[in-house]
Amino acid sequence: MLLETDFQYLKVPATLLPTLLKNRMTPGVFSPLDASPSTLVPTGTAEPPRAARAAATLAASRDGEPMHVVEVGLDAELAGWLEAMGIGPGQTLTVLRRAAFGGPIHVRAGSGGEFAIGAALARSILVAPGAPGGQTP
Amino acid sequence: MTAHCVDTPPPRLGTSVDRPLVALLGRPNSGKSSLFNRLTGGSAHVGNFPGITVDILTADLRLGDGALVTLADLPGLYTIESVVDPATDEGVARRFLDRTHESGRAHLVVQVLDAGQLALGLRLTRELVRRGFAPLIVATQRDVLESEGRTIDPALLERALGVPVLLVSARDPGARAVVLDAIAARLADVLADVKASVTTAAWDPDALARAAYVDAPTRDAAADRRRTFTARVDAVLLHPALGPVLFLALMALVFAAVFLVAAPVTAVLDSAIGQLGKLVSRVLGEGLATSFIVDGLLGGAGTVLIFMPQIVILTVAMDLLEASGYLARGAFLVDRLLQVLGLSGRSFLPLLMGHACAVPAVNATRIIRDPRERLTTILVLPLMACSARLPTYSLLLTTFFAAYGAWVQALLFVALYFAGILSGLVASLVLRRTMTRGRGLPMVLEMPAYRTPEPGLIARKGAQAAWRFMRDVGTMIMVVSAVLWVLLKVPMPGAAAPEPPRARADAVEEVASTAPAAPGAPEEPAASTQSTPIASSIAGAVGRALEPITAPLGFDWRINVGLIGSFGAREVMVGTMGIIFGIEDVGDDPAPLAERMRHATRPDGARAYTMRTGLALLAFFVLACQCMSTVAVIRRETKTWRWPAFVLAYSYAAAYAAAFIVYQTSGLFGLS
């Protein structure tokens, strides 16, 4: 009986869980270890600092302030496509403007490109203030 | 230089397979197509690559050393590693590269990257190197970079990447020889199996890009201004209040161009075809063969030519918007609106173009990166109120609503436009949940820097659109037109048609008796005494056979014949009805025909058409895809008969259902 239940409604919270764990809980747990140098992830890019100050979604972030992408809450293929496009973890983004009525967000990426990011997608991109290294660029 | 383009017929794979293949690959807006045009001088054709379902332009080039190569322009792509769906441009390019690799054909990948966005381009380079390609890198936009007071250091990049790097401006005619020589040199390396000196991909694109940029020793204020040009223009064009207003104004301008410029050209072409028809009639004399040439073939050619100005204007407008960089801004502004329909801002321009003509609009859906969204847009485009619907709308409104005055007719006209949009909305919502359901690409648009479009390139694309329309769509229209001619003009074997002429004679008599003062109603009795060939034609027989099916919609055999005649092109309805009611040239004034249709009677003497019939017919015309051009272009763009067949089936089914509902419910409301 129970097994016949559609677990689809659990999928969304479940996919968000790792992100929440990493970005909300990890900074709290590791805050005393803040001074540790940032490590390298296998792709060769510097890992975002553990002390990423209160990560927020791109949709909820403030305009005009440089931020870096902490995580993209999509499945691996879509996240990979986005990263190739120029919106991946570690990339610096500055919100330039927002379209009316909750439309797309116009951002400038550190790599030199400018993008319009749909509102739904912007809600699944987690960003933290400043450059990946911690200092403002 | 010594390199020049050779005009060879389109290559068949069997004959040109030994020729080395040079594939141009790069991100969208990287200047790839400009470079392709610069290298080929504009002579290109759609290549034939088995298993590749997207048009890939190719051209045969002779390099400086005399070697003949095939240059292929792959679709713009961001990555070849993260292929979300095989139908995306990424999927197509990846399949192309894999198949070329497997075929063992000598090949070279030339990566075109925008020197202004080096880091993004180098990400793709890293992917190519990881997959075992040693590309030749051509960085474009040298002119833009230099005008902004900076440049890049190709030597530094070469050392880091281990592959040759060129910095050119695709607009500079001298770039052609430089790039062709580099291709020849690189190809010689590839053929000699010289491996790239550095094959690792252990470099960071962002760091490398930062290192490669060189500021000019003297930077002036003008260069600084040019650097911020895009940002300053965006401040105006994307302004929260001003932006949408300017966008609307621009779209209105495009439409005005279609209707103001295309209409006179169309009229000239139309009358030229008419004169040619008259000339043919005079030379050959009246007869079935003459009629076939004039009504069947020339009529079909007329349909093709009439749409040509619109198609060229819309294609050119679209290309101008895209090349200038404004297209992405427009999509940014209207994206929220289209999310309601399950579409994105990218679909806006094709859908808008659909209100002029669905044919270039279906072509324009190529700008939609998401394959499912693109398909959805293609499938709902035939519902938009295109310009070919206008003559029929105007005839029906004059016929059934003339008594209500101009305001009611104008309101109904606007309502018909909204009916098209509304039906598109419903169809899109339904399709996104059924036929085109599935994961889409995330909504990200690249907002390229503003650039001045290249007139030569735009003109060539306009000419290409016209040529492709002539070749692909034109042939189909000619075939359908010839078939319809047979249906409408050849008598049904063994069938006598005693009743229809009488019905028509009744109609004329009634016009004469009940409305003698009707202005413009032609009164030649000769037309009523000679039998109407269309009544005894195959179409006439089919129209009568269909009467039981169409009776619930209020359509009699004459309207059925009109609908059969307008299967190929909906504007033919007016002319066909004109022939049925004995008015030879309806032309621009539908009033005489409307008059006769109003007074047409059934065999039992009752009025054949009421306002309910008119409403049902309007509903039918809003929904039915009575356009072989659209069907042909959907076939061309989807490379399968499945989707055009689906469009025909669903739009006719919806049209029948809507006409049925309108006719029956309007009866319930007491309309007569």
Side-chain angles (χ1 to χ4, degrees):
Chain A
M1 193 57 192
L2 183 72
L3 285 175
E4 286 166 19
T5 321
D6 182 8
F7 284 102
Q8 197 58 34
Y9 69 96
L10 279 177
K11 202 182 153 197
V12 174
T15 46
L16 282 174
L17 199 60
T19 311
L20 282 173
L21 280 175
K22 191 171 170 196
N23 298 294
R24 295 280 157 79
M25 296 181 73
T26 319
V29 172
F30 289 93
S31 50
L33 300 174
D34 191 16
S36 64
S38 38
T39 53
L40 286 176
V41 293
T43 54
T45 50
E47 193 181 37
R50 292 257 153 86
R53 280 157 288 161
T57 69
L58 182 65
S61 64
R62 220 181 300 163
D63 291 12
E65 264 182 25
M67 288 160 300
H68 68 274
V69 178
V70 177
E71 182 153 357
V72 178
L74 297 174
D75 67 60
E77 266 182 341
L78 290 178
W81 186 80
L82 267 182
E83 182 170 7
M85 209 178 167
I87 304 164
Q91 186 67 245
T92 319
L93 297 179
T94 310
V95 176
L96 299 178
R97 59 177 61 81
R98 287 155 203 271
F101 309 113
I105 297 174
H106 184 185
V107 300
R108 180 177 293 142
S111 52
E114 286 184 19
F115 303 96
I117 298 178
L121 175 61
R123 281 193 288 277
S124 50
I125 297 177
L126 278 167
V127 292
Q135 70 277 58
T136 21
Chain B
M1 289 270 286
T2 46
H4 65 280
C5 210
V6 280
D7 284 319
T8 49
R12 293 282 162 269
L13 209 70
T15 60
S16 62
V17 75
D18 302 328
R19 196 176 294 162
L21 182 72
V22 178
L24 285 191
L25 173 154
R27 290 171 66 100
N29 306 307
S30 60
K32 188 170 56 67
S33 296
S34 285
L35 186 70
F36 181 80
N37 256 279
R38 174 59 65 201
L39 294 181
T40 59
S43 68
H45 44 78
V46 176
N48 177 19
F49 300 99
I52 301 295
T53 52
V54 166
D55 285 352
I56 291 180
L57 283 182
T58 61
D60 297 320
L61 285 179
R62 199 175 288 285
L63 300 177
D65 56 6
L68 202 58
V69 298
T70 301
L71 188 70
D73 187 13
L74 297 193
L77 58 108
Y78 293 106
T79 165
I80 53 167
E81 281 178 359
S82 302
V83 172
V84 177
D85 186 307
T88 56
D89 288 350
E90 275 85 10
V92 171
R94 162 108 154 245
R95 201 156 53 245
F96 183 92
L97 290 176
D98 287 349
R99 292 195 182 211
T100 310
H101 224 51
E102 285 162 14
S103 72
R105 183 176 179 182
H107 61 277
L108 169 67
V109 171
V110 177
Q111 192 202 341
V112 184
L113 55 81
D114 178 353
Q117 298 186 347
L118 206 50
L120 294 177
L122 289 175
R123 277 167 195 270
L124 187 54
T125 312
R126 191 169 61 177
E127 288 190 3
L128 286 170
V129 172
R130 275 192 206 141
R131 281 187 86 78
F133 291 100
L136 165 70
I137 293 176
V138 180
T140 58
Q141 316 290 353
R142 175 189 193 148
D143 48 341
V144 176
L145 222 54
E146 284 175 354
S147 77
E148 293 174 359
R150 54 188 180 149
T151 186
I152 59 170
D153 181 1
L156 183 145
L157 287 175
E158 263 180 30
R159 280 196 302 278
L161 303 175
V163 294
V165 179
L166 294 179
L167 176 62
V168 299
S169 159
R171 297 184 183 207
D172 168 21
R176 182 164 185 267
V178 175
V179 175
L180 286 182
D181 286 349
I183 288 175
R186 189 71 195 148
L187 205 54
D189 282 354
V190 170
L191 292 175
D193 210 21
V194 177
K195 291 274 179 260
S197 51
V198 179
T199 46
T200 63
W203 35 268
D204 176 36
D206 292 288
L208 189 57
R210 272 196 298 277
Y213 279 117
V214 183
D215 266 343
T218 51
R219 265 177 65 182
D220 52 5
D224 281 342
R225 261 208 309 284
R226 277 192 287 271
R227 265 193 208 199
T228 57
F229 177 76
T230 293
R232 282 180 295 125
V233 174
D234 270 346
V236 179
L237 292 184
L238 297 182
H239 186 274
L242 201 55
V245 174
L246 289 171
F247 177 75
L248 280 179
L250 193 64
M251 293 301 119
L253 192 73
V254 171
F255 255 68
V258 170
F259 287 105
L260 294 180
V261 180
V265 180
T266 302
V268 169
L269 287 174
D270 202 20
S271 79
I273 290 276
Q275 292 301 322
L276 191 63
K278 278 184 189 143
L279 188 74
V280 171
S281 308
R282 209 175 307 140
V283 171
L284 295 179
E286 299 292 327
L288 217 54
T290 311
S291 169
F292 179 72
I293 293 172
V294 174
D295 301 323
L297 297 184
L298 279 179
T303 311
V304 178
L305 282 181
I306 283 169
F307 285 110
M308 200 60 88
Q310 285 196 31
I311 283 162
V312 171
I313 288 176
L314 283 172
T315 307
V316 165
M318 170 86 190
D319 285 333
L320 280 175
L321 290 175
E322 193 181 12
S324 64
Y326 186 75
L327 196 59
R329 270 76 182 180
F332 171 81
L333 289 171
V334 294
D335 180 74
R336 183 70 192 90
L337 202 67
L338 289 174
Q339 293 286 339
V340 181
L341 318 190
L343 301 170
S344 82
R346 288 245 171 192
S347 311
F348 182 79
L349 202 70
L351 286 175
L352 186 76
M353 287 165 80
H355 283 88
C357 181
V359 172
V362 169
N363 284 330
T365 58
R366 291 181 179 198
I367 60 166
I368 304 169
R369 289 196 73 82
D370 186 321
R372 288 195 180 81
E373 186 186 343
R374 179 166 179 236
L375 185 59
T376 312
T377 311
I378 290 178
L379 297 181
V380 304
L381 265 173
L383 298 171
M384 301 296 118
C386 74
S387 59
R389 280 182 171 90
L390 303 187
T392 311
Y393 284 173
S394 142
L395 170 69
L396 293 174
L397 291 177
T398 315
T399 306
F400 298 105
F401 301 94
Y404 296 88
W407 275 105
V408 172
Q409 290 186 57
L411 270 177
L412 276 169
F413 221 100
V414 174
L416 287 168
Y417 267 93
F418 278 100
I421 295 171
L422 192 74
S423 58
L425 189 150
V426 172
S428 163
L429 282 177
V430 171
L431 285 169
R432 284 302 261 174
R433 277 158 187 73
T434 53
M435 305 292 282
T436 60
R437 170 185 58 208
R439 182 175 67 168
L441 290 175
M443 205 326 259
V444 195
L445 285 169
E446 206 177 343
M447 306 273 262
Y450 288 109
R451 274 167 206 156
T452 322
E454 291 172 79
L457 199 58
I458 302 285
R460 229 171 284 149
K461 281 196 173 174
Q464 266 169 16
W467 164 240
R468 283 160 52 101
F469 178 72
M470 286 270 262
R471 192 192 54 196
D472 300 348
V473 181
T475 46
M476 178 143 176
I477 291 179
M478 296 294 271
V479 169
V480 170
S481 172
V483 170
L484 285 175
W485 178 88
V486 171
L487 289 180
L488 290 169
K489 294 294 164 88
V490 174
M492 187 71 179
E499 167 226 309
R502 190 161 52 82
R504 235 205 67 253
D506 289 347
V508 178
E509 274 162 31
E510 207 167 330
V511 171
S513 59
T514 59
E523 291 174 38
E524 319 94 303
S528 67
T529 50
Q530 88 192 49
S531 77
T532 313
I534 206 161
S536 51
S537 69
I538 299 176
V542 174
R544 247 170 280 127
L546 284 175
E547 266 189 341
I549 299 170
T550 57
L553 318 183
F555 299 172
D556 69 347
W557 73 272
R558 287 167 288 194
I559 291 184
N560 289 349
V561 171
L563 292 178
I564 294 168
S566 56
F567 176 74
R570 48 174 68 88
E571 68 276 14
V572 171
M573 176 79 180
V574 178
T576 313
M577 294 310 276
I579 296 170
I580 294 172
F581 285 92
I583 297 171
E584 268 308 306
D585 195 6
V586 179
D588 290 334
D589 182 18
L593 175 58
E595 191 62 38
R596 289 205 181 182
M597 284 178 68
R598 255 202 299 280
H599 298 286
T601 53
R602 292 178 203 277
D604 60 10
R607 268 179 66 189
Y609 313 127
T610 61
M611 196 166 84
R612 287 168 63 198
T613 318
L615 287 171
L617 258 179
L618 286 175
F620 194 92
F621 269 83
V622 164
L623 293 168
C625 176
Q626 301 158 299
C627 181
M628 271 308 118
S629 311
T630 306
V631 170
V633 81
I634 292 177
R635 152 88 182 103
R636 193 180 73 195
E637 288 299 313
T638 59
K639 307 261 179 186
T640 157
W641 279 110
R642 186 181 164 205
W643 294 117
F646 175 73
V647 164
L648 280 178
Y650 102 82
S651 73
Y652 269 91
Y656 183 87
F660 180 85
I661 291 167
V662 165
Y663 190 74
Q664 297 302 331
T665 52
S666 63
L668 294 180
F669 283 108
L671 283 177
S672 61

